[in-house]
Amino acid sequence: RDTLLFHFGWEWKRKRKQRAVVEMGTLGRAIYSVGFWIRETGQAIDRLGSRLQGGYFFQEQLSRHRTLMNIFDKAPVVDKDVFVAPSASVIGDVHVGRGSSIWYGCVLRGDVNSIRVGSGTNIQDNSLVHVAKSNLSGKVLPTVIGDNVTVGHSAVLHGCTVEDEAFVGMGAVLLDGVVVEKNAMVAAGALVRQNTRIPSGEVWAGNPAKFLRKLSNEEITFISQSAINYTNLAQVHAAENSKSYDEIEFEKVLRKKYARKDEEYDSMLGVVREIPPELILPDNVLPDKAEKALQK
């Protein structure tokens, strides 16, 4: 059975390759063929290396996931200071501005239209951003997300506009034509119907979403601070994701060596423990740490 499945899979791949090649010109066919064989060779070398490592390779998984992916002639444009999590997918006509962050499990799919994300914006884990080629009203709708916007976990944004320093709560759904104005908030779990405009300074909640109340000055400040906090946190995650396997294992040893013990236990042994610089996080990542430092 395994042999039949293997041959079936190989035959399917071969026919798919043939269909793609038929649609290309002579030069395109040659380039496609070379690319195909390079990729196949790379995958074969990867599998061989994994077998040679034995059980060791299970601790260092090699992912073929494509974080940034072209679709037709459309390619993502992502600033060098953006954090895109390894499990996120940014596809097609998508622009992401400086200091923004696309978190784990997110999908930004700009295939039939464009997606624009400003600077300092965070789109949190498992959120989906898509676009509309057309709808019942015949409108062509991209998705536009401004600067310093916070989009909570598992939100869905489809063919809508979210202006600067707005807040979209966890699990919220924004449908085609929705406009969330600057300093407005969509509550967690809200469903905002087509072509709804949420005015600045208001909170909308429910299914369908309706006006709930006005935002307080403290909440408006919180929206801006939330974006800053996520920009700082993204830098830590970016640094962690860029570490090699050896660096990760070395830090494990350091953490074990410098693990915090009970103060009385340390005093009885006459031990003074100092945290090495490699394990010290920036103050702006841990607000409680910064407040304690100021109090001292």
Side-chain angles (χ1 to χ4, degrees):
R1 186 184 63 178
D2 292 342
T3 303
L4 288 174
L5 288 173
F6 173 80
H7 284 297
F8 175 79
W10 178 259
E11 184 66 17
W12 179 81
K13 286 174 65 178
R14 187 180 65 81
K15 289 182 178 179
R16 185 182 65 175
K17 172 177 174 286
Q18 287 177 345
R19 285 197 301 270
V21 170
V22 166
E23 296 173 359
M24 300 180 180
T26 305
L27 179 59
R29 293 178 187 177
I31 293 173
Y32 183 91
S33 298
V34 170
F36 176 81
W37 290 114
I38 289 174
R39 291 184 65 192
E40 288 295 310
T41 303
Q43 291 177 7
I45 293 173
D46 177 25
R47 290 191 292 270
L48 175 61
S50 295
R51 290 193 183 95
L52 292 176
Q53 285 184 297
Y56 190 67
F57 78 94
F58 287 106
Q59 300 176 19
E60 190 180 10
Q61 292 283 355
L62 300 176
S63 174
R64 297 189 184 95
H65 171 74
R66 297 170 66 184
T67 305
L68 304 179
M69 190 180 89
N70 296 7
I71 183 76
F72 311 120
D73 60 338
K74 302 172 183 176
V77 178
V78 178
D79 189 273
K80 61 182 179 63
D81 290 329
V82 170
F83 168 64
V84 180
S87 57
S89 296
V90 179
I91 304 165
D93 189 1
V94 182
H95 286 236
V96 184
R98 182 183 181 87
S100 291
S101 52
I102 313 299
W103 290 81
Y104 304 93
C106 285
V107 176
L108 279 67
R109 179 157 61 91
D111 45 10
V112 296
N113 214 316
S114 63
I115 296 173
R116 297 293 180 267
V117 180
S119 301
T121 288
N122 61 92
I123 301 177
Q124 297 174 17
D125 315 68
N126 295 320
S127 292
L128 169 65
V129 181
H130 194 227
V131 289
K133 184 176 182 180
S134 62
N135 51 29
L136 292 175
S137 60
K139 290 184 178 179
V140 176
L141 296 170
T143 295
V144 180
I145 303 172
D147 300 336
N148 303 317
V149 172
T150 291
V151 177
H153 313 292
S154 299
V156 177
L157 280 64
H158 196 277
C160 59
T161 297
V162 182
E163 296 181 356
D164 298 347
E165 298 181 8
F167 187 99
V168 179
M170 294 182 288
V173 179
L174 278 59
L175 299 179
D176 295 10
V178 167
V179 177
V180 182
E181 293 185 359
K182 183 176 181 179
N183 290 330
M185 177 181 287
V186 179
L191 173 63
V192 187
R193 291 183 296 185
Q194 289 92 338
N195 303 316
T196 300
R197 177 176 285 269
I198 300 179
S200 177
E202 294 186 1
V203 183
W204 284 47
N207 182 359
K210 297 180 180 179
F211 171 75
L212 180 64
R213 59 177 174 80
K214 289 284 187 179
L215 280 166
S216 66
N217 291 332
E218 291 77 11
E219 288 171 326
I220 292 175
T221 302
F222 165 77
I223 292 175
S224 299
Q225 188 59 46
S226 174
I228 295 171
N229 290 343
Y230 260 90
T231 296
N232 294 332
L233 186 58
Q235 294 174 8
V236 176
H237 279 258
E240 190 69 26
N241 279 283
S242 66
K243 290 177 181 176
S244 66
Y245 177 79
D246 291 337
E247 288 175 317
I248 294 171
E249 290 300 304
F250 177 68
E251 288 190 2
K252 284 182 183 178
V253 174
L254 282 180
R255 286 193 174 91
K256 185 175 181 181
K257 181 178 179 181
Y258 292 96
R260 290 186 178 277
K261 302 291 184 179
D262 184 83
E263 292 182 4
E264 293 184 2
Y265 174 86
D266 284 350
S267 62
M268 290 176 63
L269 296 178
V271 174
V272 177
R273 298 179 186 272
E274 295 182 359
I275 301 176
E278 295 90 341
L279 301 183
I280 298 177
L281 294 175
D283 289 341
N284 56 14
V285 176
L286 302 174
D288 294 340
K289 179 180 174 184
E291 290 176 7
K292 291 178 182 178
L294 291 173
Q295 291 173 0
K296 292 182 180 179

